[in-house]
Amino acid sequence: MASASSSVVNQPRSPPVSFVVSDHELADDGMSVVSSCVLRQCFGFYEVSRERLLVCDQYPVGLLLPVVAPNLRSIVDNFATFTREQYAEIARAHFIYVSPSDRKDHVRDLLRVHVCNAACISNAIVFKVLKRRRLDSANHILPEPFSSSYLS
């Protein structure tokens, strides 16, 4: 029994990948950088974690992809499809109080203005590979430099 738990501890762990905002599929490898476009199409929210994943669990070997972003706003603005509960889980991981009566938009606004400190800087948002790629990932809120007139 002790050898099984020690073998898990000794297995290599992978660092999270960096998040890049892009409406185009980049030549990302899913191991060091991943674009918002690829995340929206191929991955869904799984959890928030402070722990590094084992190499065998992390994409492309496994089904999970931990992602770190320069700030929470970049995640919130690119994933409007997250549920209120998913936003609340991210908020709790960042020590932001969310009242049970708070609406989804209010929780999103709380996350947008949050400035990470030493207590929450190590959080990674973990995504899980979808069984089927999303075909329509265009109905999301675009980041500020983009607008519908720009893309037309």
Side-chain angles (χ1 to χ4, degrees), residues 130-142:
L130 298 172
K131 290 182 181 179
R132 292 191 187 113
R133 185 178 180 146
R134 286 188 186 108
L135 298 177
D136 182 23
S137 62
N139 54 355
H140 62 278
I141 297 173
L142 295 173

Side-chain angles (χ1 to χ4, degrees), residues 6 8 11 45 65 69 74-75 77-78 94-96 120 139 151:
S6 64
V8 171
Q11 288 185 2
F45 179 87
L65 183 66
S74 60
I75 292 288
D77 285 347
N78 282 279
H94 286 265
F95 306 100
I96 300 170
C120 60
N139 54 355
L151 297 174

Side-chain angles (χ1 to χ4, degrees), residues 8 23-24 30 47 68-69 78 83 94:
V8 171
D23 266 353
H24 304 286
E47 68 179 0
V68 292
N78 282 279
T83 65
H94 286 265

